[in-house]
Amino acid sequence: MFDQDHIAEAIAWRHDLHRHPELGFEEHRTSEMIAGLLTGWGWRVHRGLAGTGVVAQMGQGAPVIGLRADIDALPILEATGVAHASTIPGKMHACGHDGHTAMLLLAARKIAAEGVEQGTVTLIFQPAEESEGGARVMVEQGLFTQFPMDRVFGIHNWPGLAPGRFVARDDKMMAAFSVFDIEILGKGGHGAMPEQSDGVIAAAGRMAAALQEIPARALSPLEPGVVSVTQIHSGSAYNVCPDRAVLSGTCRWFGAEAGDIIENRLRRIATAEAAAQGCTADIDYQRRYPATINTAPEAALAREVAGEMGLDTAMVGPSMASEDFAFMLNEVPGAYLWLGAAREGENPGLHSAKFDFNDAVLPAGAEFWVRLARRATAG
């Protein structure tokens, strides 16, 4: 267990980070704070991967375990009303990365105080998880070649689960994702004479409906998949048929074949629906993150450690949300974990303007890190 003064200090770090949120690859103040604390506790600190990433090590030789926390915020105007609310309009920690950082720092303090008798503990404070792929950049810039690891683990607070719940699935944890922008171009004209223009708006409407039916019509009912059109932009007046519309959205899947089917069907539908209305479609489709797939031995180890703490490790289904920790799991065995963090009463979800990390679960998350590091380095 932790000294209550240390827990209070960790909560203070979390609140400080919450007041000063920084977006992906801009986490300069955050990484400076992290590096300063770790250096003071005797960790060997390395900076510069992905610009604002921080990697710290303690101990020597094998086995080597990696513990990762994400550190970036989101471009959201905060509406929590808490005393430690963001001081930067339009930026906030709406996903709990401030809590993830404070949990790993609290654990790092205890690990340093106890020492690492065998093996090496590697801490990874990763920038730009939110859609920018900071994990991919760290891997590309040599994370696992400069700091070889036998296993790597990450935790995310999960407000959909009660405190005391802990999830570590043996395989599929979170989905792969892509984003798309489809520009529909045609001839515009007067709203009272639509026969003299192309059906840009008609194409957009039909396209939005057809795209979102892709999983139901192209994938097996046993294969998860999502296509969501989340934006439609077109027109500027009541009496003008526009010459341009843009549809944007996201796709989610697990299996590689499902990802290919979704992309191919999206391209065919967009092209055909535009052509049916006399228009053309310019499709920008970008695959961002692979699926987050745990390795079974590492997930089992995590459940064992959590169970020893008295946490409920009953299994739940995977999530169609996505996580760039997947890039690390593509390189090294490991597991991505959910720590129950629901609040009593109003319980805003991740990415809500009213979300605030539940400080009550911070000690449990940090204790899990300490115990996991101890078990993994003991071989």
Side-chain angles (χ1 to χ4, degrees), residues 14 17-18 70 93 95-103 356-357:
R14 207 281 290 181
L17 292 168
H18 196 92
D70 37 17
H93 275 289
C95 203
H97 297 185
D98 50 345
H100 302 164
T101 301
M103 280 196 307
D356 185 35
F357 179 86

Side-chain angles (χ1 to χ4, degrees), residues 63-146:
V64 184
I65 182 177
L67 311 178
R68 173 268 203 175
D70 37 17
I71 66 175
D72 57 322
L74 283 157
I76 296 174
L77 181 64
E78 182 161 352
T80 61
V82 296
H84 54 272
S86 171
T87 60
I88 305 173
K91 299 180 184 180
M92 73 169 289
H93 275 289
C95 203
H97 297 185
D98 50 345
H100 302 164
T101 301
M103 280 196 307
L104 190 52
L105 285 171
L106 180 58
R109 186 178 198 171
K110 187 170 183 178
I111 291 169
E114 295 179 346
V116 179
E117 296 181 359
Q118 179 179 340
T120 305
V121 178
T122 302
L123 310 179
I124 307 163
F125 291 89
Q126 179 217 303
E129 185 277 329
E130 299 288 359
S131 298
E132 302 301 326
R136 173 183 54 79
V137 177
M138 290 191 85
V139 170
E140 289 175 349
Q141 293 184 0
L143 173 63
F144 294 119
T145 54
Q146 294 182 47

